[in-house]
Amino acid sequence: MKKIVVVEDDRYLRDELVLTFQKAGYDAEAVTSFTCTAERIPPMQPDLVVLDVNLPGESGFAVCKYLKERISAPILILTARDSLSDELKGLGLGADDYLTKPCPSARLLARSQRLIQTFSGMKSFVKAGPLLLDTDTWKLSFGENVVILAENEGKIMRILMEKSPDVVSKEELFQALWGTVDYVDENILQVNVSRLRKKLTDSGIAYTLQNIRGKGYALDVTGLV
């Protein structure tokens, strides 16, 4: 079942959109907190993001730009802002479609289905700066350097890239790797991180993977070009 994430601050419209997608057979979920909005979306692993532009605290345009640097899912902007300049700005930042409110449900569903079908045939990639991770094969690319990661190494790298440069707690990594935080030996995580760091060394970027004492790990790609 394809996953659609709705980013809309109007509670009534948000609930209506989620219900519309659920009735159409999608797994629809909404962002309901608008602090660090953009960072909340990649871990939800959407197949499509339906994004409003007028959000509290953070512009939908900024969210669009952030997501396009980190996920491969299409973004459909759904907004009341109907000027040509706003549409061109959204599309220029990487949005894959732009619809204005009010929008008939049939049109929204048709556009959403088209985007999902178009992107479903493409490989899944996660980006962080110049790093590119193919999550189908766990192939990590940096310029001409290519490293093939083991599955657990790839899962660690994925969440670090999605949340870069923020710290990812050990509990979040436990959940990403083993689906639980209970009965997991922390040494196993350290072994996987050490193996990942060794492979990053081959590309000369081991320094990007940082151990934040007492908090977890972070990926800082600001020095990469």
Side-chain angles (χ1 to χ4, degrees):
M1 184 181 295
K2 298 297 184 180
K3 174 74 166 290
I4 296 179
V5 172
V6 175
V7 188
E8 167 63 60
D9 64 312
D10 183 306
R11 180 166 60 89
Y12 297 103
L13 178 55
R14 181 172 69 229
D15 291 346
E16 180 182 341
L17 289 171
V18 169
L19 184 60
T20 295
F21 285 122
Q22 288 176 342
K23 286 183 176 178
Y26 294 103
D27 175 13
E29 184 177 352
V31 171
T32 57
S33 176
F34 296 93
T35 302
C36 300
T37 307
E39 290 89 338
R40 297 176 183 276
I41 299 170
M44 301 169 78
Q45 299 184 25
D47 294 292
L48 171 68
V49 178
V50 176
L51 174 67
D52 189 14
V53 169
N54 298 317
L55 300 174
E58 187 173 12
S59 163
F61 290 127
V63 173
C64 180
K65 183 176 185 297
Y66 178 94
L67 293 178
K68 275 301 178 180
E69 293 173 348
R70 288 166 172 81
I71 65 174
S72 58
I75 297 175
L76 190 161
I77 290 180
L78 179 64
T79 180
R81 295 170 65 163
D82 59 358
S83 72
L84 178 60
S85 60
D86 283 328
E87 181 174 353
L88 292 176
K89 181 176 181 179
L91 295 175
L93 290 171
D96 300 282
D97 206 342
Y98 193 104
L99 292 175
T100 56
K101 306 171 187 175
C103 177
S105 296
R107 177 177 296 165
L108 175 61
L109 289 172
R111 296 287 188 89
S112 299
Q113 182 181 25
R114 178 183 63 82
L115 287 174
I116 290 174
Q117 288 178 338
T118 299
F119 277 72
S120 64
M122 301 171 62
K123 286 182 174 291
S124 298
F125 293 100
V126 178
K127 294 183 287 185
L131 295 180
L132 184 67
L133 178 65
D134 180 345
T135 59
D136 290 333
T137 62
W138 301 121
K139 181 174 71 174
L140 178 68
S141 303
F142 170 52
E144 296 182 356
N145 296 321
V146 175
V147 178
I148 304 298
L149 305 178
E151 183 176 359
N152 279 352
E153 298 162 0
K155 288 180 178 179
I156 293 171
M157 195 66 187
R158 175 177 183 160
I159 190 170
L160 288 171
M161 291 174 67
E162 288 174 342
K163 300 197 71 172
S164 174
D166 296 335
V167 177
V168 179
S169 70
K170 293 178 181 178
E171 289 75 18
E172 289 177 284
L173 290 171
F174 290 156
Q175 191 68 43
L177 267 65
W178 298 289
T180 180
V181 297
D182 299 322
Y183 313 114
V184 178
D185 186 345
E186 187 173 321
N187 290 327
I188 299 177
L189 175 61
Q190 292 176 350
V191 168
N192 281 279
V193 171
S194 295
R195 289 173 177 168
L196 172 60
R197 193 187 302 276
K198 185 177 184 300
K199 290 186 177 180
L200 294 180
T201 300
D202 295 339
S203 295
I205 57 173
Y207 65 90
T208 61
L209 176 53
Q210 302 172 353
N211 185 351
I212 311 301
R213 187 176 299 274
K215 294 183 178 180
Y217 298 91
L219 188 73
D220 186 355
V221 298
T222 54
L224 296 180
V225 292

